[in-house]
Each structure stands twice: as structure tokens, then as C-alpha cells.
Amino acid sequence: MKPSTRSTVRASVPPPSTTDDAPASATELADFVEQLGIGLESSGLPRAAGRMLAWLMVCDPPEQTADDLATALVASRGGVSTTVRLLVQMQLVERVGRAGERRSYYRVVPHVWDQAMTAQSAPITLMRQVADRGLAILADAGPGRRERLAEMRDYLTFMEREMPALQRRYHAEKGTNR
């Protein structure tokens, strides 16, 4: 997941509506947010960003102001501002507005996981290309010296080939046309 250089998109969203039939307890939600925050931290996100993304995935309404996020996550307004900026740059969260209101709201980008996996394709291709170049540089080297690089290239070649097929299968199962 790589930060974007494009500007933040402001969309308009309807006013909140409560749709939860069976609300979870505050303790259960807090535990979930912490667990997912730790899980996302292990994939490279700061824990605060993982916690915020986790909260935005389960909160009601799905759009939250910076003050809402600070309250829910027991975080400072400055920390929320920094974290939301990172998540917006990474295209995991988007800033939206409501008609007649000046405040900004934040929500998880629709289809965020599909987009995140698509974004991982470019680094995979780049690393495979670098591995190919390394193997060309080591063309006259013994097999032991090339083995680790060949394994990297083979793995990345496989991932580069299979990721689009996995996404197509996912969309076929979900009945989505993306």
C-alpha cells in the first residue's frame, strides 16, 4: 500500500442513519479495534492507523469526524489528524462531506481491500524485474550464488501471474463486475 500523490476526493454522503440491529458492546468493539490494529501493524501500518481503519470498518454511522475518531479511539486530535492524513494518502480512507455542513467526515474507501491488493501488483512486478536483472548480472556465477535470487524471482513471477486470477475469482464469487 503506497501513498498517493493525487489530491483528496471530497464526496457527498447522506446524513447518518442507524442500521445496527444488535449493537456490540463497547468492550467487544474496543477489543476488536485493538486486535485488528495489531494485525495491521504487523503488515507495516502504524498501530494507530490500524486502529483507525478498524474503527472505520465497524462504526455506525460509517462516516466519522475527526472529533468522533478522537473520542472513539481515545486519541489526541493531532494524532487523529496525522493518522487520517496517512490513511487518505494510502487510499484506504476518504474524506467526504455532507450537504449543508462544513465539517469533514472520513470513511473506509469502498472496495478498499480489492484496491489495496491491486496496488500491491506494481511492487511485485518491480521486484521481479530487479530479480531478473540481478540474475542477468550473475549469469556467469555458480548456482549457489544465484539460488536465493532465483527463488525470489520464481515466487514473484508466480504472484504476478496469480494475483489477477484470484481477484477475478473473488469478483465472480461475489457477483461483482470490477
Side-chain angles (χ1 to χ4, degrees), residues 157-174:
T157 298
F158 175 83
M159 294 304 290
E160 194 176 19
R161 182 183 66 238
E162 294 299 319
M163 288 278 284
L166 285 172
Q167 286 180 298
R168 283 191 299 276
R169 279 185 37 216
Y170 170 79
H171 290 293
E173 283 183 23
K174 296 294 279 185

Side-chain angles (χ1 to χ4, degrees), residues 5-133:
T5 55
R6 74 178 190 195
S7 64
T8 304
V9 175
R10 287 186 62 86
S12 183
V13 295
S17 63
T18 305
T19 57
D20 263 345
D21 295 332
S25 78
T27 302
E28 290 172 319
L29 280 176
D31 287 346
F32 167 79
V33 165
E34 283 301 320
Q35 289 171 356
L36 191 52
I38 290 168
L40 291 169
E41 181 182 38
S42 71
S43 70
L45 271 182
R47 186 178 301 185
R51 292 177 71 242
M52 186 177 293
L53 187 59
W55 176 250
L56 287 169
M57 291 180 65
V58 299
C59 62
D60 186 35
E63 306 86 23
Q64 301 278 295
T65 66
D67 289 335
D68 295 335
L69 292 167
T71 299
L73 299 171
V74 190
S76 71
R77 184 78 155 77
V80 165
S81 177
T82 300
T83 302
V84 82
R85 191 175 318 114
L86 171 67
L87 292 173
V88 167
Q89 286 177 331
M90 295 179 75
Q91 299 179 17
L92 300 173
V93 168
E94 64 184 354
R95 184 173 63 184
V96 295
R98 291 195 181 136
E101 289 191 39
R102 296 180 67 186
R103 295 188 294 180
S104 291
Y105 291 80
Y106 301 94
R107 69 178 177 197
V108 172
V109 170
H111 313 290
V112 68
W113 302 111
D114 190 37
Q115 290 179 9
M117 291 301 108
T118 298
Q120 291 301 310
S121 297
I124 288 171
T125 297
L126 176 65
M127 290 189 317
R128 193 257 318 138
Q129 291 169 343
V130 171
D132 284 340
R133 182 164 186 260

